[in-house]
Amino acid sequence: MIHAYKLNGLNIILDIASGSVHCVDDVAYDAIIAYESRGSEGARELLRAGYGDGDERGNGESGGNGTRESGGRGNGESGGHGTRESGGRGNADRRDNADGRSNANGRSNANGRSNADGRSITNNLESANGSQRISDGDLDELIAEIEELISHGKLFAKEAFSNLSEQERDPPLKALCLNVSHACNMDCSYCFAGRGEYGGGGLMPLETGKRAIDFLIENSEGRRNLDVDFFGGEPLLNLDVVKGVVNYARRVEQSSEKLFRFTLTTNGLLIDDDVIEFANREMSNVVLSLDGRRETNDSARRLPDGSGSYDAVVPKFKELVARRGGKDYYIRGTYTRGNLDFVNDVVHMADLGFTELSLEPAVARPGSPNRLEMDDLPYLCEQYELLASEMLRREKAGNGFRFYHYMLDLRGGPCVYKRLAGCGSGSEYLAVTPKGELYPCHQFVGDDAFLMGDIWSGVADNGIRESFLKNGMYSRPECVACWARLYCSGGCAANAYHETGSIGGIYRFGCELFKKRIESAIALKIQSGFSAHD
């Protein structure tokens, strides 16, 4: 199975099972698409009709409708001359193999087909009336190269992981989300937790937090590195307990042979020198909530009196990040139907000096003014393409930034286990309430149907854990047939549940956004030449 699309002047072929990424010229793009459905001889026939010597390029399946049907945008705007410049010669100096074959890491070179001296075969094609033309000899060479990629398992590779998904898994616990505060000092319009109270309220006592650490140690057999996220509500409303839990964990690290990594998520209102010093000493990561431009942020992230939070938190975030050395943090925001032009918010945060950014689409119930609808998809997809172009421009100018959804490792990627297991909610990752109750993740907290037990008695035998373990990408027919399955691992169970009523459902809007993000991220990686952060 392949996925073919055109974006930012590039022709991109993804081989789904192997993870190989091929950036090719027009002829190779059409050839690979034709080869998948028609085989070697069928591809030759179509290419001769479209590119053969002495013929004008027609509107056959390979050069016309076939390309548009398989491409990302479907309008052919990225094809032709622009593709030859960007996808052909233009990138040849930054890929791996001069012969155009994928290397052991599963990547082909930027033009897809090269002569021994690194020049694209496109250089040898004649041009007439704006169309490429190819000789029978070059066509034979192209088909041979496609078949060589197939023989090396880099093109039309067979599915290799479905049998692994059927194996029984009983993974140990590796992470807890500690909801140390079911209270908040803000009133955000899109808050899934109802002002951070989750239908109840309250602060976690220190003894509960310490017991949560013991519970994590007891249920993490075989794992050394353990993660704990301090979440809310607003966790800084219970700062003394956060500090106490960290101190306790540090005391038991050596005796338990564990290593704890902590994350703090905060709206920033209570950040001061003491918080900065503590966070920068103990937190492996700090997540700071900001939605972008002042007017965007203040329309959603409001104080209880209705005023905005932007002016109160931005200076605090700048100070914390500066004293943190600009590392191990990210700004995490949300965009809604009120700011579909979210790229302007991302760029604004970058202009503030923040380089680690995330802006997530809101998941709201039907009827909410924050809810994103299917009608918004075309514009949002354009925004993600625009974001990739802006990131590339800034990278070249020396003032680049990273965007969470575009952080792909195309050289290696996540391990097979991670691809199959996804985020691990309900099994490897659990949320703990102030009372010590256990839920699959923070987005299920307060829903009695997903109460799994508590940190004193453990996970009850109520089938919830098992349902999450079996809720992988291969459990959904739609995911099995989706080209992006090994990038998303089946998506977010909470989003699926809140949209469809089942953790095994399909949040179709989220799927389409995810696929556009992946397409844009891969195009950006190709154009930027695979940075050191791949």
Side-chain angles (χ1 to χ4, degrees):
M1 179 182 183
I2 64 169
H3 175 63
Y5 68 101
K6 296 172 178 281
L7 186 61
N8 292 343
L10 303 177
N11 297 332
I12 300 173
I13 304 282
L14 308 181
D15 186 63
I16 306 310
S18 71
S20 301
V21 176
H22 308 281
C23 184
V24 300
D25 62 20
D26 287 351
V27 185
Y29 183 84
D30 290 345
I32 293 170
I33 293 170
Y35 196 105
E36 181 180 38
S37 60
R38 293 175 175 265
S40 174
E41 290 308 312
R44 290 174 189 274
E45 179 181 344
L46 290 172
L47 288 173
R48 285 194 185 100
Y51 295 98
D53 276 349
D55 294 323
E56 295 294 336
R57 179 177 178 181
N59 59 1
E61 294 180 45
S62 66
N65 293 334
T67 300
R68 290 196 294 271
E69 287 172 4
S70 299
R73 296 175 64 182
N75 57 15
E77 290 178 6
S78 299
H81 180 68
T83 299
R84 291 198 299 273
E85 289 184 345
S86 297
R89 296 184 301 274
N91 295 334
D93 61 343
R94 64 167 184 257
R95 312 309 298 150
D96 39 290
N97 294 333
D99 61 5
R101 297 190 301 271
S102 297
N103 67 8
N105 290 322
R107 295 179 293 114
S108 66
N109 69 1
N111 56 48
R113 300 183 294 120
S114 298
N115 294 320
D117 62 358
R119 291 182 293 108
S120 169
I121 287 176
T122 304
N123 294 343
N124 298 331
L125 300 179
E126 297 176 352
S127 177
N129 297 323
S131 297
Q132 289 181 338
R133 307 173 88 173
I134 185 169
S135 69
D136 282 349
D138 282 339
L139 179 54
D140 290 341
E141 183 179 349
L142 172 55
I143 296 298
E145 288 175 354
I146 290 174
E147 292 178 340
E148 185 175 7
L149 287 171
I150 294 172
S151 71
H152 285 285
K154 306 304 181 185
L155 198 58
F156 308 126
K158 294 182 179 180
E159 178 60 70
F161 305 138
S162 58
N163 61 322
L164 298 178
S165 69
E166 298 172 358
Q167 297 179 7
E168 292 294 326
R169 296 193 302 117
D170 188 23
L173 194 60
K174 67 178 180 181
L176 290 179
C177 178
L178 289 191
N179 283 22
V180 293
S181 172
H182 277 188
C184 192
N185 48 1
M186 289 183 62
D187 186 13
C188 301
S189 63
Y190 47 65
C191 181
F192 69 88
R195 291 196 62 182
E197 296 178 356
Y198 296 87
L203 301 179
M204 178 179 288
L206 178 57
E207 290 308 308
T208 301
K210 291 164 67 175
R211 173 57 200 159
I213 295 295
D214 291 339
F215 174 82
L216 178 55
I217 292 172
E218 293 164 3
N219 291 276
S220 61
E221 182 180 359
R223 296 189 186 274
R224 172 169 171 76
N225 296 316
L226 304 178
D227 294 300
V228 176
D229 301 340
F230 291 106
F231 203 73
E234 173 49 49
L236 292 184
L237 289 171
N238 202 8
L239 179 60
D240 286 345
V241 167
V242 172
K243 289 182 175 181
V245 171
V246 170
N247 289 338
Y248 178 74
R250 296 298 184 217
R251 289 202 306 271
V252 300
E253 273 183 325
Q254 186 171 358
S255 60
S256 63
E257 297 184 343
K258 304 292 184 181
L259 180 63
F260 286 93
R261 299 178 297 197
F262 296 104
T263 296
L264 173 70
T265 298
T266 177
N267 62 33
L269 289 176
L270 297 178
I271 288 177
D272 57 17
D273 285 342
D274 177 55
V275 169
I276 292 174
E277 189 278 330
F278 169 71
N280 290 351
R281 184 182 72 248
E282 297 290 0
M283 297 295 131
S284 298
N285 193 23
V286 179
V287 182
L288 308 170
S289 299
L290 182 70
D291 285 354
R293 294 163 291 181
R294 179 183 283 102
E295 59 271 24
T296 299
N297 183 84
D298 289 353
S299 68
R301 301 191 60 77
R302 298 184 293 263
L303 304 180
D305 64 5
S307 61
S309 60
Y310 180 96
D311 290 332
V313 301
V314 168
K316 296 173 183 286
F317 290 166
K318 286 184 174 181
E319 180 67 14
L320 185 149
V321 170
R323 289 167 59 177
R324 200 173 177 80
K327 298 178 180 179
D328 302 322
Y329 80 96
Y330 73 90
I331 303 290
R332 197 279 189 201
T334 300
Y335 72 82
T336 71
R337 214 158 193 228
N339 61 315
L340 295 178
D341 62 337
F342 68 87
V343 172
N344 289 319
D345 293 297
V346 176
V347 168
H348 175 80
M349 293 189 288
D351 288 342
L352 290 174
F354 301 120
T355 59
E356 310 293 320
L357 303 175
S358 172
L359 205 57
E360 311 276 346
V363 180
R365 298 188 183 281
S368 168
N370 292 318
R371 181 178 172 86
L372 298 163
E373 304 287 354
M374 294 298 288
D375 288 347
D376 300 321
L377 267 175
Y379 185 79
L380 292 175
C381 288
E382 290 178 1
Q383 287 285 291
Y384 280 112
E385 292 182 15
L386 178 62
L387 175 60
S389 296
E390 176 65 13
M391 290 178 66
L392 181 64
R393 185 189 70 79
R394 289 181 176 237
E395 179 181 311
K396 290 180 177 179
N399 60 340
F401 61 88
R402 294 204 294 175
F403 184 68
Y404 179 77
H405 287 298
Y406 288 179
M407 293 168 60
L408 293 179
D409 180 359
L410 296 185
R411 290 192 170 93
C415 65
V416 172
Y417 178 83
K418 181 65 176 176
R419 292 176 189 270
L420 297 177
C423 70
S425 61
S427 56
E428 298 169 279
Y429 168 88
L430 300 174
V432 183
T433 71
K435 296 179 180 179
E437 301 161 318
L438 294 169
Y439 286 87
C441 86
H442 60 282
Q443 292 197 65
F444 290 100
V445 168
D447 188 332
D448 290 342
F450 291 94
L451 179 60
M452 298 179 67
D454 60 54
I455 55 176
W456 291 279
S457 301
V459 175
D461 185 15
N462 52 18
I464 298 175
R465 184 174 186 271
E466 187 66 20
S467 68
F468 276 84
L469 280 171
K470 292 182 177 180
N471 189 46
M473 62 182 175
Y474 289 105
S475 67
R476 303 177 178 93
E478 298 92 337
C479 293
V480 172
C482 178
W483 66 264
R485 62 184 182 271
L486 293 175
Y487 292 95
C488 82
S489 301
C492 174
N495 287 351
Y497 173 73
H498 292 133
E499 184 67 18
T500 70
S502 168
I503 64 171
I506 300 295
Y507 177 38
R508 298 191 183 280
F509 179 88
C511 289
E512 294 306 312
L513 271 191
F514 183 90
K515 287 186 280 189
K516 173 49 66 174
R517 291 195 297 252
I518 292 297
E519 287 184 342
S520 299
I522 290 173
L524 176 61
K525 287 291 186 182
I526 292 171
Q527 290 178 303
S528 62
F530 291 89
S531 72
H533 297 293
D534 287 342

